[in-house]
Amino acid sequence: MFVDASDLFPFVVLAIVFAAILGSVAKRWMKLKEKQLDLAATVAGEQAAQYAAKIERLESHVATLNRIVTDRRDDLTFEIENLRGAPAKLN
């Protein structure tokens, strides 16, 4: 019981069409994933820049606080109170 080549022709054509459709779907899926990765990378880069700016501001504040804590000048109290907007009390 042998199969004639002409009987297999419709199955071969359907297999080729099915493969082409699957290839097209796979290509679109890969493009979508690439766009999603690009967007995720952009968002991560923006967040990193925001975090860097925030860290820079915090470091500046810490440096100011460190200077206030370690500086023993008499006019330091006066400067701090001026920053608060209240009159300074000198010892």
Side-chain angles (χ1 to χ4, degrees):
M1 180 160 211
F2 293 102
V3 178
D4 190 15
S6 63
D7 292 337
L8 292 178
F9 183 73
F11 294 110
V12 172
V13 170
L14 285 175
I16 292 171
V17 170
F18 186 67
I21 291 171
L22 282 178
S24 175
V25 169
K27 185 176 179 181
R28 286 184 182 184
W29 182 78
M30 288 172 45
K31 281 185 180 182
L32 173 65
K33 289 298 178 183
E34 183 179 355
K35 286 181 182 181
Q36 287 175 341
L37 288 173
D38 287 344
L39 179 61
T42 301
V43 169
E46 290 172 358
Q47 286 179 342
Q50 290 173 355
Y51 292 148
K54 189 173 187 176
I55 288 171
E56 187 176 328
R57 286 192 308 269
L58 289 173
E59 286 176 344
S60 173
H61 287 246
V62 168
T64 301
L65 291 172
N66 190 26
R67 185 184 64 82
I68 289 171
V69 168
T70 58
D71 197 353
R72 297 287 182 212
R73 296 182 306 164
D74 291 333
D75 60 338
L76 181 61
T77 304
F78 181 74
E79 290 178 23
I80 293 171
E81 293 303 326
N82 277 342
L83 291 173
R84 290 184 184 160
K89 297 178 185 177
L90 294 177
N91 294 336

